[in-house]
Amino acid sequence: MEVFERRRLRVVLEITSLDLCYPEKVAGVFNAMATLLSDANAPFIFLLAVDPSVIVPCLEQTGCMKGLADNGYLYLNRAVTLPFSIPEMGSRSRMRSVE
């Protein structure tokens, strides 16, 4: 397809709702991401929306981190290239949004 389009194509995968999954599935998603991104020329971009305070205990319960990181936060930090967070909304901000 890239030959016909004459441009590099990207596949964007959005990963959400991991907090609803069992710890083994959460670890499986991170393993799949690592596998797909193992090639430097891989056409994949992952958008991962997670609450670290929920995902880290899941990762720490499984054996996926053995030898890779001391804790789940370090593992998550190594897996995410461009982390950012959205602060919680205060009650005033919520009220302004509703109005």
Side-chain angles (χ1 to χ4, degrees):
M1 190 70 174
E2 289 180 350
V3 172
F4 295 115
E5 292 285 328
R6 293 189 181 144
R7 64 186 170 114
R8 184 163 165 96
L9 298 178
R10 296 285 187 186
V11 177
V12 179
L13 300 166
E14 177 185 348
I15 301 172
T16 59
S17 302
L18 283 179
D19 56 329
L20 302 176
C21 298
Y22 290 111
E24 295 79 22
K25 293 291 182 183
V26 172
V29 168
F30 278 91
N31 286 335
M33 284 174 47
T35 301
L36 290 173
L37 293 173
S38 62
D39 179 11
N41 296 318
F44 301 106
I45 297 172
F46 288 93
L47 300 176
L48 178 66
V50 297
D51 180 355
S53 65
V54 175
I55 298 304
V56 165
C58 288
L59 293 171
E60 289 176 347
Q61 285 179 10
T62 64
C64 72
M65 297 186 323
K66 287 190 176 24
L68 298 175
D70 295 336
N71 62 45
Y73 285 101
L74 287 174
Y75 182 85
L76 194 58
N77 192 39
R78 290 178 183 171
V80 177
T81 305
L82 182 62
F84 69 94
S85 63
I86 300 171
E88 281 191 44
M89 290 179 84
S91 58
R92 286 185 191 157
S93 298
R94 274 187 253 148
M95 288 307 292
R96 274 186 264 151
S97 296
V98 171
E99 291 172 358

